[in-house]
Amino acid sequence: MNKYFDSHFNKEIVTIYPGEYYASSGPEMISTVLGSCISIALFDEENKIGGINHFMLARDTSLDQAQGEQLMGKFGEYAIDLLINDLKAKGASIKNLQAKVFGGSNVFNQPANTGAQVGEVNIKFAFDYLEHLHIPVVNSNTGGNLPRKIFFDPETAKVYMKYINNSNLENENLQKKEASYIETIKIAEVKNLFPDD
């Protein structure tokens, strides 16, 4: 997590990275960069509290139950609940929560016939999990081949998003980081997250 002042928004920006989440009711914005990862912005408009997470994979396929919170936050099945608990602790009401979903791009340009891609699996998981929790998704921008940079304002629930061009150095760095992490998992396990489909 990193904080800096942004003169364009005239606000403090909190930048989160994979496995992290952040919630706030103050005059600050939350930012992150997404490739195949997903960020879910959850907000309670009535109490003006919101936050986002940044997860890399839908589910934890390891058998290690003694993981730290940051490692747990890299998996959607934990990241959403971690954010919800933080929002509740800051005064948000669960019944008021709404969601906006971003990310899940195919930054490696894998052909569709190679099986379920990480981004596609992440997108499906995010929408299914939010539906299971009865949290309505009021806006989303997912899929495609380009990474995204998002800025979320917890007070207004507005999300500002821009695509990162494929030739952009920031995109190259993102692809390297994601490729390095993806190598540590078994792609076969990713393909079988939704075996009933």
Side-chain angles (χ1 to χ4, degrees):
M1 199 171 306
N2 182 40
K3 290 188 179 187
Y4 66 94
F5 184 80
D6 185 277
S7 57
H8 174 76
F9 290 111
N10 199 32
K11 288 188 176 185
E12 186 106 337
I13 306 288
V14 178
T15 302
I16 65 167
Y17 302 100
E20 296 182 335
Y21 62 92
Y22 189 83
S24 175
S25 58
E28 58 191 348
M29 297 186 79
I30 311 164
S31 175
T32 198
V33 175
L34 302 163
S36 60
C37 300
I38 292 283
S39 272
I40 296 176
L42 293 175
F43 54 93
D44 173 348
E45 279 189 305
E46 187 176 315
N47 293 303
K48 298 195 181 309
I49 300 170
I52 65 172
N53 56 25
H54 181 149
F55 65 86
M56 299 183 80
L57 297 172
R59 298 190 185 277
D60 180 2
T61 56
S62 76
L63 299 175
D64 182 9
Q65 298 299 316
Q67 302 181 84
E69 192 170 285
Q70 183 165 346
L71 182 56
M72 288 176 63
K74 291 187 178 183
F75 301 100
E77 64 181 325
Y78 309 130
I80 297 171
D81 292 335
L82 288 168
L83 178 57
I84 288 172
N85 290 337
D86 195 28
L87 287 164
K88 280 174 28 181
K90 288 181 167 65
S93 172
I94 299 303
K95 66 180 177 63
N96 294 340
L97 288 183
Q98 297 180 63
K100 296 182 180 181
V101 182
F102 298 88
S105 64
N106 178 16
V107 292
F108 304 110
N109 294 314
Q110 294 175 320
N113 62 358
T114 59
Q117 298 159 353
V118 175
E120 288 177 351
V121 173
N122 285 344
I123 293 166
K124 178 167 175 37
F125 172 83
F127 283 95
D128 287 351
Y129 200 86
L130 290 167
E131 183 179 8
H132 171 74
L133 295 175
H134 306 292
I135 297 175
V137 177
V138 297
N139 200 348
S140 65
N141 188 291
T142 59
N145 294 322
L146 291 176
R148 300 159 171 85
K149 184 166 190 171
I150 61 169
F151 293 87
F152 172 63
D153 186 334
E155 287 187 310
T156 65
K158 287 184 179 177
V159 175
Y160 303 87
M161 189 202 84
K162 70 174 182 178
Y163 289 107
I164 300 171
N165 191 294
N166 273 331
S167 62
N168 190 306
L169 181 61
E170 192 172 6
N171 182 31
E172 290 176 24
N173 290 336
L174 179 66
Q175 285 183 347
K176 287 177 186 173
K177 285 180 185 175
E178 286 203 5
S180 173
Y181 186 75
I182 296 303
E183 285 176 13
T184 66
I185 63 166
K186 295 178 182 173
I187 295 299
E189 291 175 337
V190 174
K191 290 179 183 176
N192 292 325
L193 286 177
F194 298 99
D196 297 332
D197 290 350

